[in-house]
PDB file of all heavy atoms in Angstrom:
ATOM      1  N   LEU A   1     174.034 -27.321-130.001  1.00 97.00           N
ATOM      2  CA  LEU A   1     172.744 -27.942-130.336  1.00 97.00           C
ATOM      3  C   LEU A   1     172.937 -28.656-131.666  1.00 97.00           C
ATOM      4  O   LEU A   1     173.218 -28.006-132.679  1.00 97.00           O
ATOM      5  CB  LEU A   1     171.634 -26.893-130.447  1.00 97.00           C
ATOM      6  CG  LEU A   1     170.272 -27.371-130.959  1.00 97.00           C
ATOM      7  CD1 LEU A   1     169.682 -28.480-130.098  1.00 97.00           C
ATOM      8  CD2 LEU A   1     169.291 -26.204-131.051  1.00 97.00           C
ATOM      9  N   PHE A   2     172.837 -29.972-131.634  1.00 97.00           N
ATOM     10  CA  PHE A   2     173.013 -30.765-132.847  1.00 97.00           C
ATOM     11  C   PHE A   2     171.935 -31.844-132.909  1.00 97.00           C
ATOM     12  O   PHE A   2     171.607 -32.455-131.891  1.00 97.00           O
ATOM     13  CB  PHE A   2     174.385 -31.461-132.855  1.00 97.00           C
ATOM     14  CG  PHE A   2     175.540 -30.525-133.064  1.00 97.00           C
ATOM     15  CD1 PHE A   2     176.314 -30.119-131.986  1.00 97.00           C
ATOM     16  CD2 PHE A   2     175.858 -30.054-134.325  1.00 97.00           C
ATOM     17  CE1 PHE A   2     177.383 -29.254-132.162  1.00 97.00           C
ATOM     18  CE2 PHE A   2     176.922 -29.184-134.517  1.00 97.00           C
ATOM     19  CZ  PHE A   2     177.688 -28.792-133.435  1.00 97.00           C
ATOM     20  N   THR A   3     171.404 -32.066-134.107  1.00 96.00           N
ATOM     21  CA  THR A   3     170.466 -33.169-134.330  1.00 96.00           C
ATOM     22  C   THR A   3     170.898 -33.913-135.591  1.00 96.00           C
ATOM     23  O   THR A   3     171.462 -33.313-136.510  1.00 96.00           O
ATOM     24  CB  THR A   3     169.007 -32.693-134.486  1.00 96.00           C
ATOM     25  OG1 THR A   3     168.910 -31.877-135.653  1.00 96.00           O
ATOM     26  CG2 THR A   3     168.545 -31.913-133.267  1.00 96.00           C
ATOM     27  N   THR A   4     170.619 -35.209-135.611  1.00 93.00           N
ATOM     28  CA  THR A   4     171.040 -36.013-136.752  1.00 93.00           C
ATOM     29  C   THR A   4     170.157 -35.800-137.976  1.00 93.00           C
ATOM     30  O   THR A   4     170.594 -36.009-139.088  1.00 93.00           O
ATOM     31  CB  THR A   4     171.048 -37.522-136.408  1.00 93.00           C
ATOM     32  OG1 THR A   4     169.739 -37.899-135.981  1.00 93.00           O
ATOM     33  CG2 THR A   4     172.072 -37.832-135.332  1.00 93.00           C
ATOM     34  N   ARG A   5     168.911 -35.382-137.754  1.00 80.00           N
ATOM     35  CA  ARG A   5     167.992 -35.172-138.871  1.00 80.00           C
ATOM     36  C   ARG A   5     167.240 -33.869-138.679  1.00 80.00           C
ATOM     37  O   ARG A   5     166.619 -33.662-137.645  1.00 80.00           O
ATOM     38  CB  ARG A   5     166.992 -36.326-138.968  1.00 80.00           C
ATOM     39  CG  ARG A   5     167.617 -37.586-139.516  1.00 80.00           C
ATOM     40  CD  ARG A   5     166.637 -38.733-139.463  1.00 80.00           C
ATOM     41  NE  ARG A   5     167.262 -39.772-138.652  1.00 80.00           N
ATOM     42  CZ  ARG A   5     166.706 -40.349-137.616  1.00 80.00           C
ATOM     43  NH1 ARG A   5     165.503 -40.028-137.228  1.00 80.00           N
ATOM     44  NH2 ARG A   5     167.356 -41.276-136.948  1.00 80.00           N
ATOM     45  N   SER A   6     167.294 -33.020-139.680  1.00 76.00           N
ATOM     46  CA  SER A   6     166.564 -31.753-139.564  1.00 76.00           C
ATOM     47  C   SER A   6     165.124 -31.946-140.009  1.00 76.00           C
ATOM     48  O   SER A   6     164.787 -32.925-140.662  1.00 76.00           O
ATOM     49  CB  SER A   6     167.243 -30.670-140.409  1.00 76.00           C
ATOM     50  OG  SER A   6     167.246 -31.064-141.758  1.00 76.00           O
ATOM     51  N   GLY A   7     164.287 -31.021-139.619  1.00 74.00           N
ATOM     52  CA  GLY A   7     162.900 -31.045-140.063  1.00 74.00           C
ATOM     53  C   GLY A   7     161.998 -31.984-139.285  1.00 74.00           C
ATOM     54  O   GLY A   7     160.846 -32.168-139.646  1.00 74.00           O
ATOM     55  N   ARG A   8     162.495 -32.582-138.210  1.00 84.00           N
ATOM     56  CA  ARG A   8     161.655 -33.501-137.435  1.00 84.00           C
ATOM     57  C   ARG A   8     161.243 -32.899-136.102  1.00 84.00           C
ATOM     58  O   ARG A   8     160.588 -33.549-135.303  1.00 84.00           O
ATOM     59  CB  ARG A   8     162.388 -34.822-137.207  1.00 84.00           C
ATOM     60  CG  ARG A   8     162.637 -35.544-138.521  1.00 84.00           C
ATOM     61  CD  ARG A   8     162.899 -37.014-138.385  1.00 84.00           C
ATOM     62  NE  ARG A   8     162.066 -37.676-137.422  1.00 84.00           N
ATOM     63  CZ  ARG A   8     162.509 -38.585-136.571  1.00 84.00           C
ATOM     64  NH1 ARG A   8     163.769 -38.930-136.556  1.00 84.00           N
ATOM     65  NH2 ARG A   8     161.694 -39.165-135.721  1.00 84.00           N
ATOM     66  N   GLY A   9     161.678 -31.669-135.827  1.00 92.00           N
ATOM     67  CA  GLY A   9     161.290 -31.013-134.585  1.00 92.00           C
ATOM     68  C   GLY A   9     162.128 -31.402-133.381  1.00 92.00           C
ATOM     69  O   GLY A   9     161.828 -31.010-132.257  1.00 92.00           O
ATOM     70  N   ILE A  10     163.183 -32.175-133.596  1.00 96.00           N
ATOM     71  CA  ILE A  10     164.016 -32.624-132.488  1.00 96.00           C
ATOM     72  C   ILE A  10     164.752 -31.440-131.851  1.00 96.00           C
ATOM     73  O   ILE A  10     164.782 -31.304-130.627  1.00 96.00           O
ATOM     74  CB  ILE A  10     164.996 -33.732-132.939  1.00 96.00           C
ATOM     75  CG1 ILE A  10     164.201 -34.977-133.353  1.00 96.00           C
ATOM     76  CG2 ILE A  10     166.002 -34.065-131.831  1.00 96.00           C
ATOM     77  CD1 ILE A  10     165.011 -36.045-134.064  1.00 96.00           C
ATOM     78  N   GLY A  11     165.313 -30.565-132.663  1.00 95.00           N
ATOM     79  CA  GLY A  11     166.003 -29.384-132.137  1.00 95.00           C
ATOM     80  C   GLY A  11     165.053 -28.482-131.361  1.00 95.00           C
ATOM     81  O   GLY A  11     165.385 -27.994-130.275  1.00 95.00           O
ATOM     82  N   ARG A  12     163.864 -28.292-131.901  1.00 95.00           N
ATOM     83  CA  ARG A  12     162.854 -27.455-131.233  1.00 95.00           C
ATOM     84  C   ARG A  12     162.470 -28.062-129.876  1.00 95.00           C
ATOM     85  O   ARG A  12     162.358 -27.374-128.877  1.00 95.00           O
ATOM     86  CB  ARG A  12     161.619 -27.322-132.128  1.00 95.00           C
ATOM     87  CG  ARG A  12     160.527 -26.442-131.553  1.00 95.00           C
ATOM     88  CD  ARG A  12     159.395 -26.227-132.548  1.00 95.00           C
ATOM     89  NE  ARG A  12     159.848 -25.681-133.815  1.00 95.00           N
ATOM     90  CZ  ARG A  12     160.092 -24.388-134.037  1.00 95.00           C
ATOM     91  NH1 ARG A  12     159.925 -23.520-133.067  1.00 95.00           N
ATOM     92  NH2 ARG A  12     160.507 -23.974-135.213  1.00 95.00           N
ATOM     93  N   GLN A  13     162.291 -29.379-129.852  1.00 96.00           N
ATOM     94  CA  GLN A  13     161.907 -30.034-128.608  1.00 96.00           C
ATOM     95  C   GLN A  13     163.059 -30.030-127.595  1.00 96.00           C
ATOM     96  O   GLN A  13     162.832 -29.843-126.398  1.00 96.00           O
ATOM     97  CB  GLN A  13     161.432 -31.459-128.880  1.00 96.00           C
ATOM     98  CG  GLN A  13     160.801 -32.135-127.677  1.00 96.00           C
ATOM     99  CD  GLN A  13     159.577 -31.406-127.136  1.00 96.00           C
ATOM    100  OE1 GLN A  13     158.837 -30.766-127.861  1.00 96.00           O
ATOM    101  NE2 GLN A  13     159.365 -31.484-125.837  1.00 96.00           N
ATOM    102  N   LEU A  14     164.286 -30.207-128.064  1.00 97.00           N
ATOM    103  CA  LEU A  14     165.442 -30.117-127.159  1.00 97.00           C
ATOM    104  C   LEU A  14     165.516 -28.725-126.538  1.00 97.00           C
ATOM    105  O   LEU A  14     165.734 -28.580-125.334  1.00 97.00           O
ATOM    106  CB  LEU A  14     166.746 -30.425-127.902  1.00 97.00           C
ATOM    107  CG  LEU A  14     167.090 -31.894-128.093  1.00 97.00           C
ATOM    108  CD1 LEU A  14     168.210 -32.054-129.114  1.00 97.00           C
ATOM    109  CD2 LEU A  14     167.479 -32.538-126.760  1.00 97.00           C
ATOM    110  N   LEU A  15     165.307 -27.691-127.363  1.00 96.00           N
ATOM    111  CA  LEU A  15     165.324 -26.319-126.853  1.00 96.00           C
ATOM    112  C   LEU A  15     164.195 -26.118-125.845  1.00 96.00           C
ATOM    113  O   LEU A  15     164.394 -25.533-124.773  1.00 96.00           O
ATOM    114  CB  LEU A  15     165.209 -25.320-128.006  1.00 96.00           C
ATOM    115  CG  LEU A  15     165.200 -23.845-127.599  1.00 96.00           C
ATOM    116  CD1 LEU A  15     166.498 -23.455-126.895  1.00 96.00           C
ATOM    117  CD2 LEU A  15     164.978 -22.969-128.836  1.00 96.00           C
ATOM    118  N   ARG A  16     163.024 -26.613-126.158  1.00 95.00           N
ATOM    119  CA  ARG A  16     161.871 -26.498-125.261  1.00 95.00           C
ATOM    120  C   ARG A  16     162.174 -27.141-123.904  1.00 95.00           C
ATOM    121  O   ARG A  16     161.918 -26.560-122.854  1.00 95.00           O
ATOM    122  CB  ARG A  16     160.673 -27.175-125.915  1.00 95.00           C
ATOM    123  CG  ARG A  16     159.369 -26.522-125.597  1.00 95.00           C
ATOM    124  CD  ARG A  16     158.244 -27.149-126.401  1.00 95.00           C
ATOM    125  NE  ARG A  16     157.954 -26.324-127.549  1.00 95.00           N
ATOM    126  CZ  ARG A  16     157.549 -26.749-128.726  1.00 95.00           C
ATOM    127  NH1 ARG A  16     157.383 -28.037-128.951  1.00 95.00           N
ATOM    128  NH2 ARG A  16     157.293 -25.918-129.692  1.00 95.00           N
ATOM    129  N   GLN A  17     162.702 -28.362-123.946  1.00 96.00           N
ATOM    130  CA  GLN A  17     163.042 -29.086-122.709  1.00 96.00           C
ATOM    131  C   GLN A  17     164.115 -28.319-121.925  1.00 96.00           C
ATOM    132  O   GLN A  17     164.042 -28.219-120.700  1.00 96.00           O
ATOM    133  CB  GLN A  17     163.561 -30.486-123.044  1.00 96.00           C
ATOM    134  CG  GLN A  17     162.573 -31.352-123.771  1.00 96.00           C
ATOM    135  CD  GLN A  17     161.638 -32.085-122.846  1.00 96.00           C
ATOM    136  OE1 GLN A  17     161.933 -32.302-121.693  1.00 96.00           O
ATOM    137  NE2 GLN A  17     160.491 -32.480-123.362  1.00 96.00           N
ATOM    138  N   ALA A  18     165.122 -27.802-122.644  1.00 97.00           N
ATOM    139  CA  ALA A  18     166.199 -27.050-121.988  1.00 97.00           C
ATOM    140  C   ALA A  18     165.646 -25.796-121.317  1.00 97.00           C
ATOM    141  O   ALA A  18     166.047 -25.446-120.200  1.00 97.00           O
ATOM    142  CB  ALA A  18     167.285 -26.691-123.004  1.00 97.00           C
ATOM    143  N   LEU A  19     164.729 -25.118-121.984  1.00 95.00           N
ATOM    144  CA  LEU A  19     164.142 -23.905-121.403  1.00 95.00           C
ATOM    145  C   LEU A  19     163.358 -24.217-120.138  1.00 95.00           C
ATOM    146  O   LEU A  19     163.330 -23.408-119.204  1.00 95.00           O
ATOM    147  CB  LEU A  19     163.261 -23.189-122.422  1.00 95.00           C
ATOM    148  CG  LEU A  19     164.027 -22.399-123.475  1.00 95.00           C
ATOM    149  CD1 LEU A  19     163.094 -21.915-124.564  1.00 95.00           C
ATOM    150  CD2 LEU A  19     164.774 -21.234-122.847  1.00 95.00           C
ATOM    151  N   THR A  20     162.734 -25.388-120.081  1.00 95.00           N
ATOM    152  CA  THR A  20     162.032 -25.804-118.864  1.00 95.00           C
ATOM    153  C   THR A  20     163.022 -25.919-117.708  1.00 95.00           C
ATOM    154  O   THR A  20     162.759 -25.451-116.598  1.00 95.00           O
ATOM    155  CB  THR A  20     161.299 -27.143-119.101  1.00 95.00           C
ATOM    156  OG1 THR A  20     160.344 -26.943-120.142  1.00 95.00           O
ATOM    157  CG2 THR A  20     160.596 -27.624-117.846  1.00 95.00           C
ATOM    158  N   VAL A  21     164.182 -26.523-117.967  1.00 95.00           N
ATOM    159  CA  VAL A  21     165.235 -26.636-116.949  1.00 95.00           C
ATOM    160  C   VAL A  21     165.737 -25.240-116.560  1.00 95.00           C
ATOM    161  O   VAL A  21     165.901 -24.935-115.370  1.00 95.00           O
ATOM    162  CB  VAL A  21     166.402 -27.512-117.453  1.00 95.00           C
ATOM    163  CG1 VAL A  21     167.564 -27.508-116.470  1.00 95.00           C
ATOM    164  CG2 VAL A  21     165.925 -28.936-117.732  1.00 95.00           C
ATOM    165  N   CYS A  22     165.975 -24.404-117.556  1.00 95.00           N
ATOM    166  CA  CYS A  22     166.478 -23.047-117.301  1.00 95.00           C
ATOM    167  C   CYS A  22     165.505 -22.257-116.428  1.00 95.00           C
ATOM    168  O   CYS A  22     165.915 -21.593-115.472  1.00 95.00           O
ATOM    169  CB  CYS A  22     166.704 -22.302-118.617  1.00 95.00           C
ATOM    170  SG  CYS A  22     168.054 -22.966-119.613  1.00 95.00           S
ATOM    171  N   ARG A  23     164.215 -22.333-116.750  1.00 93.00           N
ATOM    172  CA  ARG A  23     163.204 -21.591-115.988  1.00 93.00           C
ATOM    173  C   ARG A  23     163.075 -22.104-114.564  1.00 93.00           C
ATOM    174  O   ARG A  23     162.831 -21.335-113.647  1.00 93.00           O
ATOM    175  CB  ARG A  23     161.858 -21.683-116.677  1.00 93.00           C
ATOM    176  CG  ARG A  23     161.731 -20.732-117.818  1.00 93.00           C
ATOM    177  CD  ARG A  23     160.249 -20.444-118.049  1.00 93.00           C
ATOM    178  NE  ARG A  23     160.074 -19.915-119.360  1.00 93.00           N
ATOM    179  CZ  ARG A  23     159.606 -20.610-120.392  1.00 93.00           C
ATOM    180  NH1 ARG A  23     159.262 -21.850-120.265  1.00 93.00           N
ATOM    181  NH2 ARG A  23     159.477 -20.033-121.551  1.00 93.00           N
ATOM    182  N   ALA A  24     163.212 -23.419-114.386  1.00 94.00           N
ATOM    183  CA  ALA A  24     163.134 -23.988-113.037  1.00 94.00           C
ATOM    184  C   ALA A  24     164.284 -23.458-112.184  1.00 94.00           C
ATOM    185  O   ALA A  24     164.123 -23.201-110.989  1.00 94.00           O
ATOM    186  CB  ALA A  24     163.182 -25.515-113.099  1.00 94.00           C
ATOM    187  N   HIS A  25     165.440 -23.266-112.802  1.00 93.00           N
ATOM    188  CA  HIS A  25     166.611 -22.769-112.077  1.00 93.00           C
ATOM    189  C   HIS A  25     166.578 -21.253-111.945  1.00 93.00           C
ATOM    190  O   HIS A  25     166.996 -20.706-110.928  1.00 93.00           O
ATOM    191  CB  HIS A  25     167.888 -23.200-112.799  1.00 93.00           C
ATOM    192  CG  HIS A  25     169.122 -22.887-112.041  1.00 93.00           C
ATOM    193  ND1 HIS A  25     169.794 -21.700-112.166  1.00 93.00           N
ATOM    194  CD2 HIS A  25     169.784 -23.605-111.112  1.00 93.00           C
ATOM    195  CE1 HIS A  25     170.832 -21.706-111.355  1.00 93.00           C
ATOM    196  NE2 HIS A  25     170.862 -22.853-110.709  1.00 93.00           N
ATOM    197  N   SER A  26     166.098 -20.563-112.974  1.00 91.00           N
ATOM    198  CA  SER A  26     166.067 -19.095-113.007  1.00 91.00           C
ATOM    199  C   SER A  26     164.679 -18.629-113.448  1.00 91.00           C
ATOM    200  O   SER A  26     164.467 -18.318-114.623  1.00 91.00           O
ATOM    201  CB  SER A  26     167.113 -18.566-113.998  1.00 91.00           C
ATOM    202  OG  SER A  26     168.389 -19.041-113.679  1.00 91.00           O
ATOM    203  N   PRO A  27     163.722 -18.561-112.517  1.00 91.00           N
ATOM    204  CA  PRO A  27     162.347 -18.209-112.884  1.00 91.00           C
ATOM    205  C   PRO A  27     162.212 -16.850-113.585  1.00 91.00           C
ATOM    206  O   PRO A  27     161.272 -16.645-114.346  1.00 91.00           O
ATOM    207  CB  PRO A  27     161.606 -18.205-111.548  1.00 91.00           C
ATOM    208  CG  PRO A  27     162.441 -19.044-110.634  1.00 91.00           C
ATOM    209  CD  PRO A  27     163.860 -18.882-111.097  1.00 91.00           C
ATOM    210  N   ASP A  28     163.152 -15.940-113.357  1.00 92.00           N
ATOM    211  CA  ASP A  28     163.074 -14.610-113.972  1.00 92.00           C
ATOM    212  C   ASP A  28     163.762 -14.538-115.334  1.00 92.00           C
ATOM    213  O   ASP A  28     163.879 -13.452-115.901  1.00 92.00           O
ATOM    214  CB  ASP A  28     163.706 -13.562-113.039  1.00 92.00           C
ATOM    215  CG  ASP A  28     162.948 -13.453-111.727  1.00 92.00           C
ATOM    216  OD1 ASP A  28     161.747 -13.782-111.701  1.00 92.00           O
ATOM    217  OD2 ASP A  28     163.566 -13.043-110.726  1.00 92.00           O
ATOM    218  N   LEU A  29     164.201 -15.666-115.847  1.00 94.00           N
ATOM    219  CA  LEU A  29     164.902 -15.691-117.127  1.00 94.00           C
ATOM    220  C   LEU A  29     164.056 -15.029-118.214  1.00 94.00           C
ATOM    221  O   LEU A  29     162.896 -15.378-118.397  1.00 94.00           O
ATOM    222  CB  LEU A  29     165.202 -17.147-117.518  1.00 94.00           C
ATOM    223  CG  LEU A  29     165.993 -17.347-118.803  1.00 94.00           C
ATOM    224  CD1 LEU A  29     167.430 -16.857-118.651  1.00 94.00           C
ATOM    225  CD2 LEU A  29     165.977 -18.824-119.190  1.00 94.00           C
ATOM    226  N   GLU A  30     164.651 -14.068-118.909  1.00 94.00           N
ATOM    227  CA  GLU A  30     163.925 -13.358-119.969  1.00 94.00           C
ATOM    228  C   GLU A  30     164.424 -13.677-121.363  1.00 94.00           C
ATOM    229  O   GLU A  30     163.678 -13.584-122.321  1.00 94.00           O
ATOM    230  CB  GLU A  30     164.001 -11.852-119.727  1.00 94.00           C
ATOM    231  CG  GLU A  30     163.234 -11.444-118.488  1.00 94.00           C
ATOM    232  CD  GLU A  30     163.196  -9.940-118.300  1.00 94.00           C
ATOM    233  OE1 GLU A  30     163.630  -9.195-119.202  1.00 94.00           O
ATOM    234  OE2 GLU A  30     162.718  -9.514-117.245  1.00 94.00           O
ATOM    235  N   ARG A  31     165.711 -14.021-121.485  1.00 95.00           N
ATOM    236  CA  ARG A  31     166.249 -14.302-122.809  1.00 95.00           C
ATOM    237  C   ARG A  31     167.318 -15.376-122.746  1.00 95.00           C
ATOM    238  O   ARG A  31     167.946 -15.585-121.719  1.00 95.00           O
ATOM    239  CB  ARG A  31     166.796 -13.050-123.479  1.00 95.00           C
ATOM    240  CG  ARG A  31     167.746 -12.269-122.647  1.00 95.00           C
ATOM    241  CD  ARG A  31     168.153 -10.951-123.283  1.00 95.00           C
ATOM    242  NE  ARG A  31     169.530 -11.053-123.713  1.00 95.00           N
ATOM    243  CZ  ARG A  31     169.986 -10.747-124.907  1.00 95.00           C
ATOM    244  NH1 ARG A  31     169.200 -10.273-125.811  1.00 95.00           N
ATOM    245  NH2 ARG A  31     171.249 -10.896-125.217  1.00 95.00           N
ATOM    246  N   ILE A  32     167.474 -16.031-123.881  1.00 97.00           N
ATOM    247  CA  ILE A  32     168.488 -17.072-124.027  1.00 97.00           C
ATOM    248  C   ILE A  32     169.310 -16.718-125.263  1.00 97.00           C
ATOM    249  O   ILE A  32     168.777 -16.163-126.223  1.00 97.00           O
ATOM    250  CB  ILE A  32     167.835 -18.475-124.108  1.00 97.00           C
ATOM    251  CG1 ILE A  32     168.899 -19.558-124.011  1.00 97.00           C
ATOM    252  CG2 ILE A  32     166.944 -18.621-125.302  1.00 97.00           C
ATOM    253  CD1 ILE A  32     168.336 -20.929-123.644  1.00 97.00           C
ATOM    254  N   THR A  33     170.604 -16.988-125.198  1.00 98.00           N
ATOM    255  CA  THR A  33     171.494 -16.598-126.287  1.00 98.00           C
ATOM    256  C   THR A  33     172.165 -17.828-126.904  1.00 98.00           C
ATOM    257  O   THR A  33     172.166 -18.911-126.331  1.00 98.00           O
ATOM    258  CB  THR A  33     172.587 -15.630-125.776  1.00 98.00           C
ATOM    259  OG1 THR A  33     173.320 -16.266-124.715  1.00 98.00           O
ATOM    260  CG2 THR A  33     171.974 -14.332-125.271  1.00 98.00           C
ATOM    261  N   VAL A  34     172.760 -17.608-128.070  1.00 98.00           N
ATOM    262  CA  VAL A  34     173.526 -18.646-128.756  1.00 98.00           C
ATOM    263  C   VAL A  34     174.542 -17.954-129.653  1.00 98.00           C
ATOM    264  O   VAL A  34     174.298 -16.831-130.133  1.00 98.00           O
ATOM    265  CB  VAL A  34     172.606 -19.583-129.579  1.00 98.00           C
ATOM    266  CG1 VAL A  34     171.955 -18.859-130.755  1.00 98.00           C
ATOM    267  CG2 VAL A  34     173.370 -20.820-130.060  1.00 98.00           C
ATOM    268  N   HIS A  35     175.678 -18.589-129.851  1.00 97.00           N
ATOM    269  CA  HIS A  35     176.649 -18.164-130.866  1.00 97.00           C
ATOM    270  C   HIS A  35     176.504 -19.162-132.005  1.00 97.00           C
ATOM    271  O   HIS A  35     177.051 -20.262-131.946  1.00 97.00           O
ATOM    272  CB  HIS A  35     178.074 -18.174-130.307  1.00 97.00           C
ATOM    273  CG  HIS A  35     178.324 -17.087-129.323  1.00 97.00           C
ATOM    274  ND1 HIS A  35     179.442 -17.054-128.521  1.00 97.00           N
ATOM    275  CD2 HIS A  35     177.610 -15.985-129.002  1.00 97.00           C
ATOM    276  CE1 HIS A  35     179.404 -15.979-127.758  1.00 97.00           C
ATOM    277  NE2 HIS A  35     178.297 -15.319-128.033  1.00 97.00           N
ATOM    278  N   SER A  36     175.736 -18.792-133.023  1.00 97.00           N
ATOM    279  CA  SER A  36     175.392 -19.690-134.112  1.00 97.00           C
ATOM    280  C   SER A  36     176.485 -19.734-135.174  1.00 97.00           C
ATOM    281  O   SER A  36     177.001 -18.693-135.584  1.00 97.00           O
ATOM    282  CB  SER A  36     174.091 -19.222-134.768  1.00 97.00           C
ATOM    283  OG  SER A  36     173.824 -19.980-135.929  1.00 97.00           O
ATOM    284  N   ALA A  37     176.799 -20.944-135.642  1.00 96.00           N
ATOM    285  CA  ALA A  37     177.638 -21.053-136.837  1.00 96.00           C
ATOM    286  C   ALA A  37     176.882 -20.323-137.949  1.00 96.00           C
ATOM    287  O   ALA A  37     175.642 -20.364-137.994  1.00 96.00           O
ATOM    288  CB  ALA A  37     177.849 -22.509-137.206  1.00 96.00           C
ATOM    289  N   PRO A  38     177.604 -19.631-138.837  1.00 95.00           N
ATOM    290  CA  PRO A  38     176.906 -18.887-139.898  1.00 95.00           C
ATOM    291  C   PRO A  38     175.881 -19.730-140.663  1.00 95.00           C
ATOM    292  O   PRO A  38     174.777 -19.263-140.940  1.00 95.00           O
ATOM    293  CB  PRO A  38     178.045 -18.424-140.806  1.00 95.00           C
ATOM    294  CG  PRO A  38     179.206 -18.275-139.866  1.00 95.00           C
ATOM    295  CD  PRO A  38     179.050 -19.423-138.883  1.00 95.00           C
ATOM    296  N   SER A  39     176.201 -20.975-140.969  1.00 93.00           N
ATOM    297  CA  SER A  39     175.280 -21.811-141.738  1.00 93.00           C
ATOM    298  C   SER A  39     174.051 -22.230-140.939  1.00 93.00           C
ATOM    299  O   SER A  39     173.051 -22.646-141.509  1.00 93.00           O
ATOM    300  CB  SER A  39     176.004 -23.063-142.240  1.00 93.00           C
ATOM    301  OG  SER A  39     176.494 -23.822-141.148  1.00 93.00           O
ATOM    302  N   ALA A  40     174.103 -22.110-139.604  1.00 94.00           N
ATOM    303  CA  ALA A  40     172.967 -22.515-138.764  1.00 94.00           C
ATOM    304  C   ALA A  40     172.030 -21.358-138.429  1.00 94.00           C
ATOM    305  O   ALA A  40     170.990 -21.576-137.802  1.00 94.00           O
ATOM    306  CB  ALA A  40     173.481 -23.150-137.472  1.00 94.00           C
ATOM    307  N   VAL A  41     172.353 -20.142-138.861  1.00 96.00           N
ATOM    308  CA  VAL A  41     171.514 -18.984-138.544  1.00 96.00           C
ATOM    309  C   VAL A  41     170.057 -19.197-138.963  1.00 96.00           C
ATOM    310  O   VAL A  41     169.147 -18.951-138.165  1.00 96.00           O
ATOM    311  CB  VAL A  41     172.105 -17.687-139.140  1.00 96.00           C
ATOM    312  CG1 VAL A  41     171.102 -16.533-139.089  1.00 96.00           C
ATOM    313  CG2 VAL A  41     173.392 -17.306-138.400  1.00 96.00           C
ATOM    314  N   PRO A  42     169.776 -19.688-140.185  1.00 95.00           N
ATOM    315  CA  PRO A  42     168.359 -19.897-140.554  1.00 95.00           C
ATOM    316  C   PRO A  42     167.635 -20.871-139.624  1.00 95.00           C
ATOM    317  O   PRO A  42     166.466 -20.669-139.290  1.00 95.00           O
ATOM    318  CB  PRO A  42     168.431 -20.441-141.986  1.00 95.00           C
ATOM    319  CG  PRO A  42     169.745 -19.938-142.514  1.00 95.00           C
ATOM    320  CD  PRO A  42     170.678 -19.953-141.322  1.00 95.00           C
ATOM    321  N   ALA A  43     168.333 -21.915-139.185  1.00 93.00           N
ATOM    322  CA  ALA A  43     167.702 -22.884-138.269  1.00 93.00           C
ATOM    323  C   ALA A  43     167.381 -22.209-136.939  1.00 93.00           C
ATOM    324  O   ALA A  43     166.295 -22.402-136.383  1.00 93.00           O
ATOM    325  CB  ALA A  43     168.628 -24.078-138.053  1.00 93.00           C
TER     326      ALA A  43
END
């Protein structure tokens, strides 16, 4: 997950859109995971 500018909600919206795709494929989906770079943990 990468965005050129932080603080504009682009990452949040990309995640939202991705979750819509995930739910359509797996309606019972309960959790989503990520292996975050240490510096990206706050984001």
